[in-house]
């Protein structure tokens, strides 16, 4: 009995010592840098091999981690870099990561997340900064012109800020908005045009031109429905995801670039010269026609066009300030139009902060962008008038009542059927505007310490704008004489837009090595509110009197609509060969009646990486081969106005007034409506083949849809 007690006494300390050894932890710390430029890498994942214990580096590339004493190596992984395993050693590590052959451009931004290009199941194309169009780029759409198959970028004209029309795989709507949804750093922007094709920001031809292209790092286009369906009711025309540049670790870096460019009309319309015109009139006209000929020789097209000068200047500062990466930029664009009096000046600024807090568990992305623009719009009527106007007439005439410009007058009265002096059309119309825009967001990405694979993401964003301007034509301008009694006109406009975004989502990524599987699941909620305030003003004549019929009935309009969304997506990969992507979105819009308010937009896609099969895996010729098949449903809610399901009345115009006694009253006219108006939906199927040969030196995609 005494021997047994002695054995028990000896075993207890031995057991306690063993448990202590098992539970003992070691503190490990260090710094992770880029092997090439020696700058710190923020957000590098650090995992103790054989455990689920891990952390991420902060903005200075520093990490601290408590690991079990039995762990001998740490794994360092970062998107675009070669994963590296490093012995724990003395616990104070200096780790350098090398960029992998499948570099950062292999990481593709998709809706509400990112994915490796090799694992994509949808028709998605990305253009990075190094592949953007070069030259005098003043608007983001110009960066991808001719760069992506199935995407056409057509210029709206040569005027400054006129922008482009973007179409993804042709037309996707019968009569609704055909412009793709544009999302910048997670903020869905307001459509550039409404259902009538009118720019949604007053005072600017294309709202997209208020964005400085120098701040853009990459542009991704979601072309097929399976990729775009995660955006539901706004994605039938495709989705364009824009990612802006962010700060790099290390000391402050200054970057300044400036460009000077010239634009000119490639050729004029072929018209008769003054000599040819005189010969024609003298040959075929009678004496009354010949009497109208002038003694001047004027090339009207040369008088309205010029060699336009554009200067574009951009300054940016990026680095790390007290554990926080940052990038601040400012740009100034001064662009003349080839049509005289056409001009655009744009001042833009952006701030991007990306702190990493709570030992790498919390990442914050703050993006703020703003721009101020001043425009003068040249009178486009001068273009056709310059082709029509008599080249034998002078530009100016002494004593002319029309501001000194020569005009067609018959018996002392302005000829209403004759064209107007092209130069007068330009300089006697002052169409001035000021358009300001700001958008941005703050995103909180928190990985739970007890479950690091699960991320909670909160995204709060806004898109606000203000456009105002005046259009003034003096009383002595011939172009206004046919419209008012007192001649001249002075009108003004003012519009404000306020769009707010609120999104919360959960993202879970888990590698299941035992069953050769990877799961990437996302579920979220979105709230989007759009409010526009348009102020209404009367048009005044040159004496300051209200022109009849222009007095507004209401001082302002405030159309507003709200969209609420629930969305989810699952990406499942088996054995790195077979990939399934399934997504669904449920949207509810206040534009529709309660019975038709909600729409469901599902999508399903499959991919087979044939290059990972045994019959291709060791091929020295074929480096990539992937077959894709997808189906999805997207929607369009921009083709109608707000609350078109409600019966309402509108006031008629002057011609429909009714007289009661000595007064005239506007009549109320019923507007057409459809009580069960519902979503416009587009269902599409896509079959694609991605290929790469000779280490991807030759690569591309073939799609049938």
């Amino acid at each position: 009995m005494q021997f047994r007690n002695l054995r028990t006494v000896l075993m207890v300390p031995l057991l306690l010592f063993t448990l202590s050894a098992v539970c003992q932890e070691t503190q490990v710390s260090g710094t992770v840098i880029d092997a090439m430029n020696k700058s710190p890498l923020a957000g590098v994942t650090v995992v103790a091999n054989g455990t689920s214990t891990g952390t991420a580096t902060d903005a200075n590339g520093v990490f601290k981690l408590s690991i079990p004493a039995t762990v001998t190596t740490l794994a360092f992984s970062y998107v675009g870099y070669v994963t590296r395993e490093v012995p724990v050693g003395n616990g104070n590590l200096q780790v350098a990561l090398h960029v992998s052959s499948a570099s950062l451009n292999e990481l593709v931004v998709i809706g509400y997340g990112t994915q490796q290009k090799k694992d994509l199941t949808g028709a998605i194309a990305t253009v990075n900064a190094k592949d953007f169009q070069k030259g005098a780029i003043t608007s983001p759409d110009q960066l991808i012109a001719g760069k992506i198959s199935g995407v056409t970028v057509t210029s709206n004209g040569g005027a400054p800020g006129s922008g482009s029309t973007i179409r993804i795989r042709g037309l996707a709507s019968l009569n609704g908005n055909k412009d793709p949804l544009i999302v910048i750093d997670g903020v869905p922007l307001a459509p550039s045009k409404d259902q009538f094709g009118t720019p949604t920001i007053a005072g600017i031809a294309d709202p997209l031109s208020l964005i400085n292209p120098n701040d853009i790092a990459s542009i991704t286009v979601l072309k097929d429905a399976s990729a775009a369906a995660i955006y539901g009711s706004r994605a039938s025309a495709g989705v364009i995801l824009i990612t802006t540049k962010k700060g790099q670790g290390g000391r402050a870096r200054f970057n300044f670039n400036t460009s000077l460019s010239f634009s000119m009309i490639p050729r004029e319309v072929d018209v008769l010269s003054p000599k040819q015109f005189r010969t024609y009139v003298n040959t075929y006209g009678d004496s009354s026609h010949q009497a109208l000929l002038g003694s001047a020789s004027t090339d009207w097209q040369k008088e309205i066009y010029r060699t336009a000068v554009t200067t574009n200047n951009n300054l940016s500062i990026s680095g790390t300030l007290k554990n926080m990466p940052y990038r601040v930029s400012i740009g100034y664009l001064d662009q003349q139009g080839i049509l005289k009096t056409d001009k655009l000046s744009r001042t833009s600024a952006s701030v991007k902060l990306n702190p990493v807090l709570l030992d790498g568990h919390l990442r914050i992305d703050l993006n703020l962008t703003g721009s101020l623009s001043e425009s003068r719009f040249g009178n486009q009527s001068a273009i056709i008038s310059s082709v029509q106007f008599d080249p034998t007439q002078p530009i100016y005439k002494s004593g002319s009542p029309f501001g000194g410009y020569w005009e067609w007058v018959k018996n002392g009265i302005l000829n209403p059927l004759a064209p107007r002096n092209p130069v007068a059309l330009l300089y006697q119309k002052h169409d001035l505007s000021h358009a300001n825009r700001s958008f941005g967001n703050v995103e909180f990405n928190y990985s739970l310490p007890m479950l690091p694979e699960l991320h909670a993401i909160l995204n709060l964003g806004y898109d606000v704008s203000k456009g105002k301007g005046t259009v003034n034509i003096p009383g002595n301008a011939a172009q206004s004489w046919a419209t008012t009694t007192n001649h001249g006109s002075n009108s003004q406009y003012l519009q404000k837009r306020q769009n707010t975004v609120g999104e919360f989502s959960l993202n879970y990524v888990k590698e299941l090595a035992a069953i050769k599987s990877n799961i990437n699941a996302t579920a979220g909620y979105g709230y989007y509110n759009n409010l526009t305030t348009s102020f209404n003003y009367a048009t005044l004549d040159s004496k300051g009197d209200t022109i009849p019929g222009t007095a507004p009935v209401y001082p302002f309009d405030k159309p507003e609509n709200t969209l609420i969304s629930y969305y989810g997506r699952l990406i499942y990969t088996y054995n790195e060969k077979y990939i399934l992507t399934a997504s669904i979105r449920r949207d509810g819009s206040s534009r529709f009646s309660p019975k038709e308010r909600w729409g469901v937009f599902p999508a399903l896609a499959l991919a087979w990486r044939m290059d990972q099969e045994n019959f291709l895996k060791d091929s020295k010729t074929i480096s990539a081969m992937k077959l894709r098949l997808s189906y999805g449903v997207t929607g369009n809610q921009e083709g109608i106005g707000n609350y078109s399901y409600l019966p309402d009345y509108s006031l008629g115009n002057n011609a429909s007034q009714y007289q009661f006694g000595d007064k005239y009253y506007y009549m109320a006219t019923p507007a057409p409506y459809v009580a069960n108006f519902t979503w416009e939906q587009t269902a599409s199927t896509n079959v694609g083949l991605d290929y790469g040969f000779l280490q991807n030196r030759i690569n591309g995609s073939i799609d049938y849809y």
Side-chain angles (χ1 to χ4, degrees):
M1 180 65 70
Q2 293 178 353
F3 176 75
R4 290 181 179 177
N5 290 339
L6 178 61
R7 185 174 62 179
T8 301
V9 171
L10 292 174
M11 287 294 294
V12 169
L14 181 61
L15 178 62
L16 292 175
F17 175 79
T18 303
L19 290 174
S20 175
V22 171
C23 298
Q24 185 177 0
E25 291 188 341
T26 302
Q27 294 293 325
V28 182
S29 62
T31 304
V32 183
I33 62 173
D34 183 292
M36 180 173 292
N37 57 32
K38 309 303 179 183
S39 62
L41 294 176
V44 176
T45 300
V46 184
V47 178
N49 276 342
T51 73
S52 60
T53 303
T55 186
T57 58
D58 62 18
N60 293 317
V62 176
F63 72 93
K64 295 180 180 179
L65 184 64
S66 297
I67 62 174
T70 56
V71 174
T72 58
T73 58
L74 299 180
F76 296 81
S77 60
Y78 193 55
V79 173
Y81 287 76
V82 177
T83 299
R84 184 179 175 187
E85 293 188 358
V86 177
V88 173
N90 60 8
N92 187 14
L93 306 177
Q94 301 295 318
V95 181
L97 297 184
H98 294 266
V99 176
S100 66
S101 58
S103 58
L104 284 173
N105 60 7
E106 295 298 316
L107 185 71
V108 177
V109 177
I110 59 176
Y112 304 103
T114 58
Q115 193 176 11
Q116 287 291 330
K117 184 178 180 180
K118 62 184 176 63
D119 296 329
L120 293 176
T121 57
I124 299 176
T126 296
V127 181
N128 292 283
K130 66 182 181 64
D131 297 318
F132 284 155
Q133 284 283 12
K134 309 302 180 184
I137 304 298
T138 59
S139 183
D141 43 81
Q142 299 171 355
L143 295 172
I144 59 173
K147 289 291 184 176
I148 302 177
S149 63
V151 179
T152 59
V153 181
T154 307
S155 174
N156 293 332
S162 58
S164 304
T165 297
I166 304 175
R167 293 290 178 263
I168 299 176
R169 292 185 167 181
L171 301 179
S173 175
L174 294 176
N175 58 1
N177 191 304
K178 303 173 183 62
D179 294 330
L181 172 68
I182 296 178
V183 181
I184 298 185
D185 291 328
V187 179
L189 298 186
S192 296
K193 301 181 183 65
D194 61 17
Q195 67 268 28
F196 305 110
T198 304
T200 52
I201 299 180
I204 195 73
D206 181 16
L208 200 59
S209 66
L210 293 176
I211 301 171
N212 187 352
N214 191 69
D215 292 328
I216 296 176
S218 68
I219 297 178
T220 299
V221 180
L222 310 183
K223 296 189 282 187
D224 71 336
S226 70
I230 194 68
Y231 288 100
S233 63
R234 297 169 293 175
S236 64
V239 181
I240 296 178
L241 307 177
I242 297 177
T243 303
T244 58
K245 298 174 182 178
K246 64 179 181 180
Q248 302 294 327
R251 294 180 297 177
R253 301 177 182 177
F254 293 81
N255 183 283
F256 175 76
N257 64 74
T258 183
S259 65
L260 176 67
S261 59
F262 301 90
S263 305
M264 61 193 70
I265 187 170
R267 61 186 180 89
E268 298 177 357
V269 177
D270 189 13
V271 297
L272 296 178
S273 67
K275 182 179 180 181
Q276 292 171 327
F277 189 84
R278 287 192 179 91
T279 300
Y280 184 88
V281 173
N282 288 326
T283 302
Y284 299 102
D286 56 26
S287 58
S288 62
H289 298 140
Q290 296 167 2
L292 296 176
L293 289 171
S295 58
S297 294
T298 307
D299 186 335
W300 291 104
Q301 294 183 76
K302 277 189 170 54
E303 295 298 333
I304 67 168
Y305 294 124
R306 65 182 171 189
T307 298
V309 180
T310 298
T311 59
N312 196 357
N313 306 278
N314 296 280
L315 172 66
S316 65
I317 308 171
S318 64
T320 301
L321 178 63
K322 292 185 178 179
N323 210 31
M324 179 179 65
Y326 66 89
R327 183 180 185 271
V328 180
S329 70
I330 186 170
Y332 177 73
L333 170 72
D334 187 85
Q335 184 179 16
Q336 293 181 342
I338 58 176
L339 183 65
K340 293 179 180 178
T341 72
D342 248 347
K343 185 178 172 119
L344 168 66
S345 297
R346 180 188 70 204
T347 302
S348 61
S350 70
V351 177
K352 192 156 188 170
L353 308 177
N354 310 101
V356 180
L357 309 174
L358 304 180
D359 293 328
H361 289 286
L362 177 61
R363 302 182 187 180
I364 301 176
D365 292 321
L366 175 65
N367 309 286
L368 300 175
T369 299
S371 61
L372 309 174
S373 74
E374 296 183 3
S375 301
R376 179 174 179 180
F377 301 103
N379 191 346
Q380 301 290 314
S381 299
I383 297 175
I384 184 63
S385 183
S386 68
V387 177
Q388 298 173 335
F389 212 81
D390 183 352
T392 67
Q393 305 302 338
I395 302 173
Y396 307 101
K397 180 183 178 182
S398 178
S400 168
F402 308 108
Y405 291 98
W406 192 96
E407 297 285 357
W408 283 108
V409 176
K410 185 176 182 180
N411 299 325
I413 300 175
L414 186 70
N415 187 346
L417 300 179
R420 297 288 173 258
N421 186 317
V423 179
L425 287 172
L426 281 181
Y427 289 100
Q428 288 189 306
K429 182 177 182 180
H430 298 266
D431 189 348
L432 309 176
S433 80
H434 298 262
N436 308 328
R437 187 178 197 177
S438 177
F439 58 87
N441 70 316
V442 57
E443 181 180 282
F444 302 90
N445 188 323
Y446 181 70
S447 63
L448 279 65
M450 70 293 297
L451 189 61
E453 299 90 352
L454 181 62
H455 289 247
I457 304 168
L458 176 65
N459 179 33
L460 304 175
Y462 72 95
D463 178 12
V464 297
S465 63
K466 177 182 178 181
K468 64 177 182 178
T470 58
V471 182
N472 180 267
I473 300 176
N476 60 0
Q479 57 189 288
S480 70
W481 277 40
T483 57
T484 62
T485 303
N486 293 327
H487 311 310
S489 65
N490 189 347
S491 61
Q492 60 177 317
Y493 55 87
L494 173 61
Q495 180 197 70
K496 299 178 181 180
R497 292 182 64 94
Q498 180 178 329
N499 301 335
T500 54
V501 176
E503 295 175 332
F504 178 77
S505 62
L506 295 173
N507 177 247
Y508 181 76
V509 180
K510 181 67 174 179
E511 187 77 29
L512 304 174
I515 57 174
K516 301 179 181 180
S517 299
N518 180 276
I519 295 175
N520 186 334
T522 299
Y525 165 84
Y527 171 85
Y528 315 89
N529 182 261
N530 310 294
L531 173 63
T532 301
T533 304
S534 299
F535 296 87
N536 304 315
Y537 302 96
T539 302
L540 308 179
D541 60 22
S542 58
K543 294 183 179 180
D545 298 327
T546 299
I547 296 176
T550 65
V553 178
Y554 302 105
F556 59 85
D557 300 315
K558 295 188 72 171
E560 182 178 13
N561 65 79
T562 301
L563 178 71
I564 293 177
S565 304
Y566 302 91
Y567 53 89
R569 180 180 59 216
L570 172 66
I571 303 175
Y572 174 74
T573 304
Y574 176 72
N575 201 22
E576 296 188 354
K577 301 178 185 178
Y578 314 108
I579 307 163
L580 179 146
T581 301
S583 69
I584 189 169
R585 185 169 181 127
R586 188 168 186 257
D587 282 342
S589 174
S590 63
R591 289 179 165 178
F592 304 101
S593 68
K595 292 183 179 180
E596 305 290 344
R597 183 151 295 170
W598 293 91
V600 178
F601 307 93
L604 180 67
L606 300 170
W608 175 28
R609 293 189 60 199
M610 293 183 287
D611 54 61
Q612 295 300 304
E613 298 288 355
N614 291 332
F615 59 85
L616 286 180
K617 196 168 187 179
D618 297 326
S619 173
K620 296 182 180 180
T621 303
I622 299 176
S623 49
M625 188 68 66
K626 180 174 63 178
L627 181 65
R628 296 178 280 106
L629 174 64
S630 66
Y631 171 83
V633 178
T634 53
N636 189 344
Q637 62 155 321
E638 300 298 337
I640 66 169
N642 295 326
Y643 314 111
S644 297
Y645 66 92
L646 294 174
D648 60 2
Y649 291 81
S650 60
L651 294 179
N653 54 29
N654 290 336
S656 64
Q657 292 185 76
Y658 197 86
Q659 183 179 6
F660 285 95
D662 296 333
K663 293 185 177 181
Y664 290 85
Y665 297 87
Y666 290 99
M667 294 292 98
T669 304
Y673 73 98
V674 180
N676 60 346
F677 213 96
T678 187
W679 308 88
E680 181 184 59
Q681 292 189 342
T682 301
S684 65
T685 302
N686 189 98
V687 180
L689 178 68
D690 301 331
Y691 59 86
F693 300 101
L694 305 176
Q695 299 298 317
N696 277 338
R697 290 184 177 88
I698 302 173
N699 63 83
S701 299
I702 301 174
D703 283 275
Y704 173 81
Y705 57 92

